Amino acid sequence: MIRFGAPWLLAPALIVWALVVWRVRLLPRIYGGRRRWIQGTIVLGGLAAALAVGGLELGHRIDRLAVIYVLDQSRSVAESENAGDDALSQMRDAAAGMNTGDRAGLVVVGAEAATDLLPSPDPPFGTVRATVPRDATDLAAGLRRALADLPAEHAGRVVLISDG
C-alpha cells in the first residue's frame, strides 16, 4: 500500500524536480557514459527528495486485531456486586466473535498492574488469576502494560474496564 503523508507538498516538490531534470541536461564539459551516470544519479536523487517531501509511506494492510482488556480490580470495584464476573462474561462473548488470526488478552490493575493473559487466539477468560494490591488504582500502569503486551504484527486496541 502506497500513500503520502503530505500530498499537498508533493506538487511543488515535483515542480522543483522537473526543473532539476531540465537543468541536468545542461551539464557543461562532461561527455559520454560519465555524463549519463551523473544525470541519472541527480534525477533519481531529486525524485527521492520529492517523494520524501511528500511523505511517501510504504506498507501493507493489517487485518488482524489484538485486543487487550484492562480490568480494574481495586477495592472500589470489588465492593460492587458481580462487576468482575460481568466483565469477564462480556470478554468471553467478545472473544467468541473474533475473526481468525485475532488475539485477546487481559491486564489486571490495582495499585500495580499485572498481565493475567497474554494475547492469544482463544483466550480462556474464566477467572482472574493474577493478584494485585487492591488499596489503590493505577490505571496508567495498566495502560502501559497493555500497550507493551500488544503484538507488533496486529492492529491494537485497549479496552479499559473500571469504575472511573
Side-chain angles (χ1 to χ4, degrees):
M1 183 169 72
I2 298 174
R3 68 179 194 177
F4 291 96
W8 60 90
L9 294 176
L10 193 58
L14 289 177
I15 290 171
V16 171
W17 179 71
L19 291 173
V20 167
V21 169
W22 175 75
R23 176 63 179 100
V24 82
R25 293 181 359 185
L26 306 175
L27 287 175
R29 296 179 301 230
I30 302 174
Y31 300 102
R34 184 174 178 206
R35 179 183 180 118
R36 284 189 288 283
W37 173 257
I38 292 172
Q39 287 174 332
T41 303
I42 292 173
V43 168
L44 287 177
L47 181 61
L51 293 175
V53 166
L56 177 66
E57 298 174 3
L58 301 174
H60 58 87
R61 187 172 295 252
I62 298 176
D63 60 349
R64 294 180 293 180
L65 183 66
V67 179
I68 305 290
Y69 296 97
V70 179
L71 182 61
D72 186 357
Q73 289 286 291
S74 64
R75 189 166 309 184
S76 62
V77 173
E79 290 173 357
S80 63
E81 294 182 20
N82 298 328
D85 295 333
D86 291 342
L88 287 172
S89 68
Q90 290 177 357
M91 288 182 225
R92 279 191 294 273
D93 294 342
M98 290 190 319
N99 293 330
T100 305
D102 291 349
R103 295 174 177 229
L106 177 63
V107 171
V108 180
V109 176
E112 299 171 359
T115 300
D116 189 60
L117 290 172
L118 286 173
S120 64
D122 190 21
F125 292 123
T127 59
V128 176
R129 294 181 298 267
T131 59
V132 291
R134 295 180 170 220
D135 56 342
T137 304
D138 190 359
L139 294 178
L143 293 174
R144 283 191 301 271
R145 173 70 64 124
L147 291 173
D149 287 347
L150 284 171
E153 65 276 0
H154 289 69
R157 303 287 185 269
V158 176
V159 178
L160 177 63
I161 303 168
S162 177
D163 63 344

